[in-house]
Amino acid sequence: QVQLVESGGGLVQAGGSLRLSCAVSGSIFSLNAMNWYRQAPGKQREWVAVITSGGSTSVADSVKGRFAISRNTAQNTVYLQMNSLKVEDTAVYYCHAEGAWGRSWGQGTQVTVSS
């Protein structure tokens, strides 16, 4: 399995940008896909973006045109670039890995967008 450590969260004003990072260690060779999820207070965790082992990407409709997922394979890091942030983007953001072993979650990083 893999271990995931997120970073890059914080407080930002509406309209601003943040870049989240997810450092991956462990059985990287057996990864199938990396995802970002988020969970706002009182709401269910929702999927935000995915990047597959082949490099294909997809983002949720709610963030399309504002968020982008990417990776640096040499540094075993996955990123979530978040632009034009809205108050409703406030949530804990989680890195998630899918692989031959199953699924792994990071501990989450808080993103707070103020109006």
Side-chain angles (χ1 to χ4, degrees):
Q1 61 179 354
V2 298
Q3 293 75 46
L4 309 173
V5 179
E6 301 99 331
S7 61
L11 174 64
V12 64
Q13 286 191 328
S17 298
L18 280 175
R19 188 177 77 161
L20 305 183
S21 300
C22 175
V24 186
S25 60
S27 301
I28 297 169
F29 62 92
S30 61
L31 276 171
N32 294 326
M34 294 291 300
N35 297 271
W36 285 97
Y37 284 77
R38 67 185 181 184
Q39 187 166 20
K43 294 188 177 181
Q44 288 189 331
R45 192 170 296 188
E46 65 170 344
W47 172 78
V48 175
V50 64
I51 185 165
T52 69
S53 57
S56 298
T57 63
S58 182
V59 299
D61 288 343
S62 59
V63 304
K64 195 164 291 183
R66 301 188 298 121
F67 290 13
I69 187 171
S70 63
R71 67 185 179 187
N72 183 322
T73 53
Q75 296 185 351
N76 296 328
T77 302
V78 176
Y79 303 99
L80 184 67
Q81 179 67 45
M82 305 185 295
N83 300 324
S84 302
L85 282 161
K86 304 176 181 180
V87 172
E88 51 264 40
D89 294 319
T90 295
V92 178
Y93 284 72
Y94 296 91
C95 186
H96 171 270
E98 300 174 31
W101 72 91
R103 299 167 182 262
S104 298
W105 291 93
Q107 82 287 353
T109 185
Q110 176 70 46
V111 172
T112 303
V113 185
S114 63
S115 58

